[in-house]
Amino acid sequence: MLSAKSLFKEILDNDEAFRLFCSIAASGESQGGWENGRIAALVPPGERALAPKIARHGADEDKHGRIFTALMKKRGLTPVAVPPETDYTMLLERHGIGLAHDKLRRDEPLTERDIVVYLSHSRVTEQRAAEQMALLFGHFAGHPEVGRALRMISDDEDDHLAYTHEELLRLAAAGHGRLIQRTLRECALAEIRVHRDVSLAVMARMGRILGWSRARYALLAAGIHAVYAYERLAGWRRMVTLRMPERRDPLGGPATPAPEFA
């Protein structure tokens, strides 16, 4: 039977598949760490109070990258180059989602509008990350190799998602509500397309490594397309709603270290 649990177990049990999975994850997290670090350094004067939270977000992402790298190292594996068609972060930038890297490389302060764009992009992508990590943690919480890592990353992603809700609601109250809703919708619709394309590319790579039949891959691809169809029709709306989180100021302190992994 095909399920998220059975598919991830296949990946866990195969060194080459696990190496590809961790390499893709580590690369994306490290890229997110760099982006948040640059944004924290360039926040406009009126948003300086946000800089430590953005820096904390970046530190968490860097930590996650180190965790995935450490999981490979424990098996004696080294990272592999990330195939371009599986590079979620790069593909989002190509679709114009978030702040362009050339802007972040310049030492010019961002604008308040840039901060709205950054937080809206983060709101959408952190929704995806939180859901995926919660799913994996729900199935593999007790796994001796990855259980602790999944718990730590899942907890962090929940905090990141809560932080974006809180900050966007603050900016909406300050008069940016229409811009936020428009930007959230644009980000969500672009993200679901990128997620579909990356999912298909990753499954194709995994299928070759794990020796899946054409019929099995076709069934998985059909499932990915079905999820996309649902998200394109209505599921994207969960990515654009805003509500005050139960835990306030979730990124108000220092990043949690991960000495057992890094």
Side-chain angles (χ1 to χ4, degrees), residues 102-235:
D102 62 345
K103 178 190 285 284
L104 297 181
R105 292 189 182 99
R106 296 196 296 265
D107 289 325
E108 299 174 5
L110 299 173
T111 65
E112 197 167 62
R113 182 186 180 91
D114 289 331
I115 296 301
V116 169
V117 169
Y118 152 70
L119 285 168
S120 298
H121 166 247
S122 295
R123 158 72 184 94
V124 169
T125 56
E126 292 299 337
Q127 178 79 38
R128 181 76 68 187
E131 289 173 351
Q132 291 184 331
M133 293 309 303
L135 178 66
L136 290 178
F137 180 65
H139 288 311
F140 295 94
H143 193 281
E145 184 177 9
V146 300
R148 288 185 301 167
L150 293 176
R151 175 187 291 278
M152 180 172 290
I153 296 172
S154 183
D155 286 347
D156 286 346
E157 301 297 5
D158 288 345
D159 283 347
H160 299 166
L161 182 57
Y163 143 79
T164 63
H165 277 266
E166 186 176 60
E167 296 302 332
L168 284 170
L169 284 169
R170 175 180 64 82
L171 289 168
H176 297 284
R178 289 188 178 180
L179 173 60
I180 289 169
Q181 283 303 317
R182 183 170 68 250
T183 307
L184 281 172
R185 187 178 189 278
E186 291 171 356
C187 287
L189 293 176
E191 192 279 340
I192 64 174
R193 290 194 300 271
V194 170
H195 181 258
R196 175 201 60 190
D197 295 344
V198 168
S199 296
L200 290 169
V202 171
M203 286 299 101
R205 293 268 176 172
M206 291 299 179
R208 288 194 288 272
I209 291 171
L210 296 169
W212 292 343
S213 66
R214 287 186 180 181
R216 187 174 194 200
Y217 175 73
L219 185 58
L220 287 169
I224 291 169
H225 284 294
V227 169
Y228 170 74
Y230 163 72
E231 292 193 328
R232 185 67 181 82
L233 180 65

